[in-house]
Amino acid sequence: VITQDDVDAGGVSNTVLASGDSPDDTNVTDVSDDPNDTENVDPDNDGDPDDPTDTEINEDPSIIAEKSATITDNGDTVLGAGDTINYVITVENTGNVTLDGVNIVDTLTDADGTVLTLTTGPTFDSADLGSSEG
C-alpha cells in the first residue's frame, strides 16, 4: 500500500533477494533485476544488473481556497450598518503531496475598493486531518 511518505518522496524502490539451497548444500542467491531498466547498472560487476524496480509517483500539488459569508442582523430587521458579516474560509489540499507553510491572506475591501480592517479574527476553528493553527 502506497503511503503519503512514499508519494512525498516521489516513489518506491523495491529489491528482492532470492536464495535457496541445492541438494549438495550449496546456497545460491540472486538480487532482482528490473527488466524495464535500460541502464543495466551492475554495481557488483558480476554480469547481473541487480537493480531495484523503481516506481515513480509524479508530484501533483494543488490547493483550493473557498470563502463564504453570512450576515447576522443586529436586531433592527434591516440589513445595514451595525450588522455583522461572518466569513468561513476553507482551504483544502487537493493534490497528492503534503503541503506545509500554508498561509492565508484575507484582504477585506468595500465595494469602492477601500481597504477595511477586521474588527475580530480571523480565528482557527478546526482541521479535518489534525493540522494545527498556523
Side-chain angles (χ1 to χ4, degrees):
V1 175
I2 298 170
T3 67
Q4 187 61 55
D5 287 342
D6 300 333
V7 176
D8 291 347
V12 176
S13 183
N14 182 269
T15 303
V16 171
L17 172 64
S19 65
D21 293 325
S22 71
D24 64 356
D25 286 334
T26 57
N27 183 266
V28 291
T29 63
D30 190 35
V31 176
S32 62
D33 303 321
D34 182 353
N36 298 316
D37 183 4
T38 57
E39 294 178 24
N40 292 322
V41 177
D42 185 10
D44 57 5
N45 295 313
D46 68 352
D48 189 8
D50 297 341
D51 57 337
T53 300
D54 294 327
T55 305
E56 291 185 21
I57 301 171
N58 293 325
E59 197 175 281
D60 186 22
S62 64
I63 193 170
I64 290 178
E66 296 179 337
K67 186 176 184 178
S68 61
T70 57
I71 299 175
T72 303
D73 183 66
N74 65 359
D76 66 3
T77 68
V78 177
L79 179 62
D83 294 341
T84 302
I85 303 173
N86 293 299
Y87 296 98
V88 174
I89 301 167
T90 304
V91 178
E92 180 181 0
N93 178 355
T94 56
N96 70 343
V97 293
T98 301
L99 301 177
D100 57 17
V102 175
N103 294 296
I104 61 168
V105 174
D106 190 15
T107 304
L108 185 64
T109 60
D110 66 15
D112 292 329
T114 304
V115 175
L116 304 174
T117 303
L118 293 172
T119 55
T120 61
T123 57
F124 178 79
D125 183 52
S126 66
D128 291 345
L129 297 177
S131 297
S132 59
E133 181 176 2

